[in-house]
Amino acid sequence: MPKDSGIGASSKRREDVRFLTGAGNYTDDINAAGQAYVYFLRSDIAHGRINSVDTSAAEGMPGVVKVFTGKDFEGVGGMPCGWEVTDKHGAPMQEPPHPILAQGKVRHVGDPIAAVVADSLEQARDAAEAIDLDIEELPAVMDMKAAAQDGATLVHDDLKNNICYDWQLGEADDAKVNEVFANAAHVTTLDLVNNRLVANPMEPRVAVAEYNRGTEEYTLYTTSQNPHVIRLLMCAFVLGLPEHKVRVVAPDVGGGFGTKIFHYAEEAFCTFAAKACNRPVKWSASRSEAFMSDAHGRDHVSKIELALDADNNFVGLRTNTYANLGAYLSTFSSSVPTWLHGTLMAGNYTTPVIQVNVKAMFTNTVPVDAYRGAGRPEATYQIERVVDKAARELGVDPIALRRQNFVTQFPYDTPVALTYDTGDYNGTMDKLETAADLAGFAARRAESEASGKLRGLGINCYIEACGIAPSNIVGMLGARAGLYDAATVRVNATGSISVMVGAHSHGQGHETAFPQVVADMIGIDESMVEIVHGDTSKIPFGMGTYGSRSLAVCGSAMVKATEKVIEKAKKIAAHLLEASEADIELKDGQFSVAGTDKSVAWGDVTLTAYVPHNYPLEVEPGLEETAFYDPANFTFPAGAYACEVEVDPETGQVSIEKFTAADDFGNIVNPMIVDGQVHGGIGQGIGQALLENCAYDENGQLLSASFMDYAMPRADDVPFYGVDHSSQTPCTHNPLGVKGCGEAGAIGSPPAVVNAVLDALNSGGKAVDHIDMPVSPSRVWAAMNS
Amino acid sequence: MYNFEFEKPSTIADAVAALGAEDAQALGGGQTLIPTLKQRLAAPSALVSLSGIAEMKGVCVDDDGSVSIGGATTHATVEAEAADSYPAMAALAGQIGDPAVRNRGTIGGSVANNDPAACYPAGVLGSGATIITNSRQIGADDFFEGLFTTALEEGEIITSIRFPVPQAASYQKFLQPASRFALVGVYLARFADGVRVAVTGASEDGVFRWSEAEEALNKEFRPDALMDLRINPANMIGDLHGSKDYRAHLVGVMTKRAVEACM
């Protein structure tokens, strides 16, 4: 029986009323009195040496307040990287400076060279056109393998080469790995590309900064997934401001998908310029700017090798990946190809020997950082493609091959540094086989073939690691931040509750799901609870929302704080009921004395807390508690996906006919929101697999620089999804037993789509063993006819 | 965008006069021009909107059975009002862009712009239509002169386009996945005196007639007639979305499908 409120209920998303009726308050809706506008003059070449930037004509243009160049920031810090990766020889990664405005060189198309602050945006833009640039164009560093060669043109002249780090995880003894492969009964090898993507949230980035001369306080409104992190980085590493004088607000944010985690130069610029100009300064990115300045995602080139014994057991796995970091290190870029990718290379399988090698490269492209899934999709894609290829080469059923190699005993220590706490991969696969009606596939294939189409079935599994933690471990791995979270539960006198949470909601439905938990714990109506988020002046602290961490980490802090509130409320109730605290029970919003009919309502207790006339003297008045929560481990959602495609053999056009996801997210607070998160993730995964392609030419010009050439998935590109979340092994180490669901769809779906296309082609007699994403009609046709 | 004067005349004569000003530019539905202006890629002194000229709007059937569409008629209007008189052209109009584009964009604007991947140039050339301007009539075969280039003179306005209605016609569009312009679009029209096949999206020279296919179909109007025909990939567009070879291949497939649709 589905619940109608509390944990487990599909409560309707309360925030959607304002989003869908135009009542949201986004950063671009915020205008400060007397604000000026900034326009960034950005490089239109990929790589060049700046000889001079002459702003004299621009400074005299109508409406111009001030023109800034890299020289104005020479004494100011650069954009920091939040994770120091140590390479396989024990050396720290190469970490070049990342100035707010370019200094010395421009390093990608879109690199900001100068900024004009003016009374209007058009005036700023007019003045920017009057800036005289003398930039000597240099050869663009584009191909990662070429960039790694000795003598390659350097993106950063002060570094010894273009390799940020050469990193390794797993078995360090090459001889041992070689031996495993030499003794294998079968080795399957695959070269593949994980295509570069542009996140393209519906809302482009915006920053509005104010400086109050009287109080010396700054306020920055920004499109961020984690306002406290922005404040910390900007104050401590970039501008050198006292944190208590800086308020960062991330109001309604129209989608992030990772690209709004990072601290961007434009945010620091506006904050700096607000004081320098003594006026509020506003910047709103155009979509064109978003394409060339939002951190991109993915962009790995990998070779993966899987060794199997004579019984088809996986005995060894080796990968060699080139990971593109772009021109500069974005905030969490260095962690993505390493600790968020290499650690996932065991997948759902018991492969005993694994060696992961990653060379992270600087190139003359937009910086690359976390994008929905962040490293885990790249890992899953490699594993699940090579397993599928192995099954085809060996002539065995791809599901049976996976089942045979599943991890079945938990906890499980992988050879790549993780401990999976719980899971049931066979159980989840059972759910998939039923939900996807795999038994009926042959009939569906016959039907497709009768209409001249090839039909394919693609299966894959995934495991991901969410809620990255604990802080002491990630600190040892190089993280320069803690990865806990915080919540304050503030109970008002009349019993309603505001929960100040460090997580930030930008589409995830926190405003609905978080109150479900608190309301359920106390037994009051959900409408009595609301969350407050996205404002450093209102919430205690927070690490924000990414990595599917919000409920698992911040939700746990909220549970802990609510437990403290309940504990204190019970003391007050015990006093009112003249009973022992140990005998007080809380159910349905009533405190009662066990075994009696004596009770007092939640609202009477909360009122007493604030009007403490009849009150226990040893208890402080008021009812507000804060908790910080640092998890003991990651959480490990896992699942199995099935995709059915039809391929038009004449044109190579792929259409997705059926897509089924069976996920194990542990306990679920709001099933409808979880379904929606999975739907959105699969849509993004299908986008990557079939459509999206962020491409540069050899000179570093962005070929897909607008929606005319960058294909986002649209409603008619995706099918109705089947989702099954009934396979549930609760997380063993957080109080809700939840695992996180935000990224799973984007992690699990690309290999399912590609596996399905290859199955379709092979069913039609075309021996094609790989097509790189996006699997466009042109590429499918070329593969069929090669 | 840069500043410009804006005029919205109500007659063709006033529009022509306004376009006489130096660097003045006609504005149809603005579906290409407005984004171009926003990117500061054009700097006209004045925009002369054609959307207030009543005599340039609407679809009508002429005495000889041909269908005339006013130059300022939106795609959505063509889709609705030509559905009975020229269903293949109405269907083409209904495949352009999305509802917002179809409610603003006009046939005259699209044809005058002659984007190499636009739909209407294929429909106009494939139909052998006549482009009627404020000063003359131009046959479709003489009108399209290459990428974004037409026979129009400076300040000349497409007031209407007259389409002879074929016995059967079909537009087969293979979508470029991002823009949803035609990666390849083939408009095939079968008249009593012969078949016309016009191809958009494929060639580096813009819309063109595939004469070999026309000859083959004039001999024998069935899909198999195209079986041995191959279009030379050398002049095809090759880009992110499809190689030259792929576009050449698609021209064949889309033409075959157009024949099938006309059978």
Side-chain angles (χ1 to χ4, degrees):
Chain A
M1 195 44 200
K3 295 177 69 177
D4 57 9
S5 71
I7 294 171
S10 286
S11 301
K12 285 189 179 160
R13 289 173 33 127
R14 58 174 81 173
E15 51 266 69
D16 286 354
V17 175
R18 82 172 184 277
F19 295 150
L20 297 176
T21 60
N25 183 40
Y26 296 90
T27 308
D28 198 44
D29 294 325
I30 293 167
N31 293 292
Q35 74 189 10
Y37 297 81
V38 59
Y39 180 80
F40 289 97
L41 177 64
R42 296 180 182 278
S43 179
D44 59 5
I45 60 169
H47 194 194
R49 195 171 310 285
I50 302 172
N51 292 327
S52 67
V53 181
D54 181 355
T55 61
S56 52
E59 281 159 15
M61 299 275 287
V64 171
V65 177
K66 196 165 166 47
V67 182
F68 296 82
T69 68
K71 287 199 187 322
D72 293 292
F73 292 91
E74 274 171 0
V76 177
M79 309 313 296
C81 180
W83 200 299
E84 182 176 85
V85 170
T86 302
D87 80 4
K88 66 181 182 186
H89 307 296
M93 66 185 188
Q94 296 201 83
E95 196 169 355
H98 182 185
I100 292 175
L101 295 175
Q103 293 175 356
K105 276 168 69 164
V106 290
R107 294 187 176 86
H108 66 87
V109 169
D111 204 358
I113 301 166
V116 180
V117 178
D119 291 341
S120 75
L121 180 59
E122 290 298 316
Q123 287 172 326
R125 206 166 164 183
D126 287 342
E129 288 180 2
I131 294 173
D132 191 18
L133 296 177
D134 177 3
I135 298 180
E136 174 197 347
E137 191 161 356
L138 300 169
V141 178
M142 300 305 297
D143 179 79
M144 288 194 278
K145 290 180 183 172
Q149 301 299 315
D150 290 340
T153 301
L154 293 177
V155 176
H156 294 275
D157 299 350
D158 295 338
L159 302 189
K160 60 183 189 222
N161 53 33
N162 292 315
I163 304 170
C164 179
Y165 51 76
D166 184 356
W167 181 84
Q168 190 178 73
L169 185 67
E171 181 53 60
D173 184 349
D174 289 346
K176 185 171 173 192
V177 178
N178 289 337
E179 192 188 334
V180 168
F181 278 86
N183 294 335
H186 184 84
V187 173
T188 296
T189 303
L190 189 57
D191 288 286
L192 42 75
V193 173
N194 204 291
N195 42 327
R196 179 182 280 242
L197 303 175
V198 182
N200 277 319
M202 196 181 289
E203 175 204 34
R205 289 189 295 119
V206 181
V208 184
E210 293 181 89
Y211 176 70
N212 185 320
R213 212 155 43 90
T215 61
E216 299 180 328
E217 288 174 330
Y218 297 82
T219 303
L220 170 67
Y221 300 92
T222 184
T223 48
S224 176
Q225 300 177 215
N226 43 358
H228 271 101
V229 175
I230 302 307
R231 186 179 70 167
L232 174 61
L233 295 176
M234 186 171 74
C235 291
F237 301 105
V238 188
L239 299 179
L241 302 176
E243 254 184 299
H244 66 292
K245 291 289 193 184
V246 178
R247 174 186 174 206
V248 176
V249 184
D252 285 334
V253 172
F257 311 112
T259 203
K260 290 177 182 167
I261 298 171
F262 323 120
H263 180 34
Y264 284 97
E266 293 89 350
E267 295 167 322
F269 175 84
C270 289
T271 307
F272 181 89
K275 183 179 184 188
C277 300
N278 194 28
R279 270 176 84 168
V281 171
K282 180 170 189 171
W283 170 70
S284 302
S286 67
R287 184 60 67 182
S288 301
E289 274 185 296
F291 269 100
M292 57 181 163
S293 68
D294 290 3
H296 291 171
R298 316 282 194 256
D299 204 349
H300 287 193
V301 175
S302 299
K303 178 191 186 79
I304 182 167
E305 301 159 277
L306 174 66
L308 301 95
D309 70 14
D311 298 322
N312 296 339
N313 297 310
F314 302 163
V315 292
L317 186 79
R318 176 166 53 198
T319 72
N320 280 281
T321 289
Y322 287 85
N324 204 335
L325 296 177
Y328 302 102
L329 288 172
S330 176
T331 312
F332 290 111
S333 57
S334 51
S335 66
V336 175
T338 50
W339 299 108
L340 297 176
H341 163 255
T343 49
L344 273 297
M345 288 308 306
N348 307 57
Y349 311 109
T350 54
T351 318
V353 176
I354 298 176
Q355 186 186 69
V356 181
N357 299 285
V358 178
K359 283 191 175 71
M361 305 303 305
F362 292 112
T363 61
N364 290 120
T365 61
V366 170
V368 179
D369 207 325
Y371 167 73
R372 201 171 193 169
R376 293 154 287 170
E378 295 90 322
T380 303
Y381 184 64
Q382 290 178 72
I383 298 167
E384 294 298 321
R385 283 289 303 114
V386 81
V387 169
D388 219 61
K389 188 180 179 201
R392 184 165 293 116
E393 287 175 352
L394 294 165
V396 299
D397 174 51
I399 294 178
L401 180 62
R402 286 176 167 90
R403 283 186 184 271
Q404 175 184 343
N405 287 283
F406 275 160
V407 174
T408 54
Q409 301 293 318
F410 296 90
Y412 175 75
D413 292 324
T414 74
V416 279
L418 295 180
T419 301
Y420 300 165
D421 63 336
T422 183
D424 179 7
Y425 308 147
N426 275 307
T428 309
M429 183 61 88
D430 293 342
K431 298 282 186 187
L432 180 77
E433 293 203 28
T434 305
D437 181 28
L438 297 189
F441 174 72
R444 293 191 292 276
R445 170 174 274 174
E447 207 172 298
S448 296
E449 286 173 350
S451 60
K453 300 284 174 60
L454 302 174
R455 194 176 188 106
L457 171 65
I459 299 287
N460 74 286
C461 298
Y462 74 87
I463 178 150
E464 59 158 330
C466 296
I468 178 170
S471 295
N472 61 335
I473 301 291
V474 297
M476 290 194 302
L477 301 180
R480 289 164 170 164
L483 285 159
Y484 51 87
D485 222 298
T488 295
V489 175
R490 177 176 297 161
V491 183
N492 299 308
T494 54
S496 67
I497 299 173
S498 298
V499 188
M500 279 56 80
V501 293
H504 185 276
S505 189
H506 35 276
Q508 293 86 349
H510 296 176
E511 293 176 30
T512 302
F514 279 38
Q516 286 180 246
V517 174
V518 175
D520 193 275
M521 289 174 72
I522 299 170
I524 54 177
D525 195 86
E526 288 169 22
S527 66
M528 289 177 67
V529 185
E530 70 167 28
I531 64 160
V532 177
H533 64 100
D535 186 338
T536 59
S537 72
K538 291 183 179 169
I539 54 180
F541 198 81
M543 293 305 296
T545 286
Y546 42 82
S548 306
R549 71 192 299 274
S550 298
L551 195 60
V553 185
C554 189
S556 297
M558 180 178 70
V559 168
K560 297 280 185 193
T562 305
E563 286 170 352
K564 290 189 202 178
V565 161
I566 291 171
E567 193 185 326
K568 182 172 177 183
K570 280 184 175 174
K571 289 189 202 316
I572 302 168
H575 177 86
L576 293 175
L577 292 167
E578 297 175 337
S580 162
E581 190 192 326
D583 294 334
I584 302 295
E585 293 173 346
L586 172 60
K587 188 163 183 277
D588 296 335
Q590 294 284 329
F591 294 93
S592 57
V593 181
T596 75
D597 59 358
K598 285 167 64 179
S599 71
V600 59
W602 167 254
D604 292 325
V605 171
T606 62
L607 189 64
T608 303
Y610 289 92
V611 188
H613 296 163
N614 176 17
Y615 199 74
L617 291 177
E618 71 281 9
V619 178
E620 287 178 18
L623 198 49
E624 171 173 324
E625 299 289 346
T626 294
F628 281 63
Y629 179 80
D630 201 335
N633 191 357
F634 289 85
T635 64
F636 296 98
Y641 285 12
C643 176
E644 290 182 30
V645 300
E646 274 188 356
V647 178
D648 180 339
E650 282 189 326
T651 64
Q653 177 86 48
V654 175
S655 68
I656 298 188
E657 298 298 311
K658 190 173 166 71
F659 200 106
T660 311
D663 302 284
D664 174 0
F665 295 133
N667 293 333
I668 288 175
V669 170
N670 184 315
M672 180 188 68
I673 289 178
V674 169
D675 286 358
Q677 288 289 308
V678 172
H679 289 180
I682 296 171
Q684 278 181 283
I686 289 172
Q688 170 166 31
L690 294 184
L691 297 162
E692 298 183 47
N693 186 19
C694 179
Y696 284 91
D697 72 9
E698 67 277 14
N699 299 316
Q701 291 297 322
L702 187 53
L703 297 174
S704 48
S706 78
F707 289 136
M708 291 296 280
D709 286 301
Y710 189 88
M712 296 293 284
R714 301 182 211 195
D716 62 351
D717 290 316
V718 298
F720 284 93
Y721 306 114
V723 291
D724 185 313
H725 298 145
S726 60
S727 178
Q728 297 183 354
T729 58
C731 172
T732 58
H733 56 80
N734 65 42
L736 289 168
V738 297
K739 295 183 175 178
C741 68
E743 298 161 293
I747 293 168
S749 52
V753 174
V754 178
N755 289 346
V757 172
L758 296 171
D759 184 54
L761 298 186
N762 281 276
S763 81
K766 305 285 184 185
V768 177
D769 61 19
H770 183 65
I771 303 175
D772 275 325
M773 302 186 290
V775 181
S776 64
S778 181
R779 288 180 177 180
V780 173
W781 179 79
M784 290 173 77
N785 291 283
S786 62
Chain B
M1 54 183 75
Y2 298 110
N3 290 338
F4 52 82
E5 299 298 322
F6 181 75
E7 297 198 44
K8 192 174 180 183
S10 56
T11 68
I12 293 170
D14 286 350
V16 170
L19 284 167
E22 193 174 347
D23 293 331
Q25 193 166 354
L27 173 69
Q31 298 306 290
T32 300
L33 182 52
I34 298 294
T36 306
L37 293 174
K38 285 167 92 170
Q39 292 182 71
R40 297 191 162 201
L41 296 174
S45 63
L47 285 189
V48 180
S49 170
L50 305 179
S51 61
I53 304 172
E55 60 190 300
M56 280 176 58
K57 292 183 175 182
V59 177
C60 67
V61 181
D62 303 325
D63 292 343
D64 64 356
S66 60
V67 170
S68 284
I69 302 176
T73 310
T74 64
H75 312 323
T77 301
V78 174
E79 182 184 8
E81 294 187 6
D84 295 331
S85 52
Y86 194 173
M89 194 58 58
L92 175 149
Q95 293 177 57
I96 299 171
D98 53 31
V101 168
R102 293 196 288 275
N103 282 323
R104 290 294 305 174
T106 65
I107 187 170
S110 172
V111 171
N113 189 49
N114 193 18
D115 187 301
C119 299
Y120 265 130
V124 170
L125 185 62
S127 300
T130 301
I131 291 92
I132 299 163
T133 76
N134 54 298
S135 58
R136 57 182 170 144
Q137 302 194 357
I138 311 167
D141 288 320
D142 299 322
F143 182 84
F144 299 103
E145 296 183 343
L147 301 188
F148 300 103
T149 311
T150 68
L152 290 174
E153 302 288 345
E154 202 71 23
E156 192 174 5
I157 300 170
I158 298 175
T159 56
S160 70
I161 301 176
R162 191 170 64 234
F163 293 90
V165 178
Q167 296 164 338
S170 172
Y171 180 55
Q172 295 291 326
K173 178 180 181 181
F174 193 88
L175 297 177
Q176 193 261 51
S179 67
R180 298 206 170 178
F181 275 63
L183 189 73
V184 167
V186 172
Y187 195 91
L188 183 149
R190 186 181 194 190
F191 294 91
D193 60 353
V195 175
R196 293 175 67 98
V197 177
V199 181
T200 188
S203 168
E204 290 179 337
D205 298 323
V207 66
F208 68 98
R209 283 175 67 184
W210 188 15
S211 47
E212 292 86 352
E214 293 178 355
E215 279 166 32
L217 291 168
N218 281 333
K219 282 185 202 144
E220 199 179 12
F221 193 80
R222 56 189 191 87
D224 287 354
L226 302 165
M227 215 151 66
D228 297 327
L229 294 184
R230 292 286 177 275
I231 204 151
N232 182 358
N235 293 330
M236 296 288 109
I237 297 169
D239 63 13
L240 268 186
H241 308 289
S243 62
K244 288 169 178 279
D245 285 337
Y246 182 61
R247 277 191 172 80
H249 167 75
L250 276 186
V251 171
V253 174
M254 293 295 115
T255 306
K256 186 188 80 169
R257 290 181 182 183
V259 173
E260 286 163 354
C262 288
M263 304 268 299

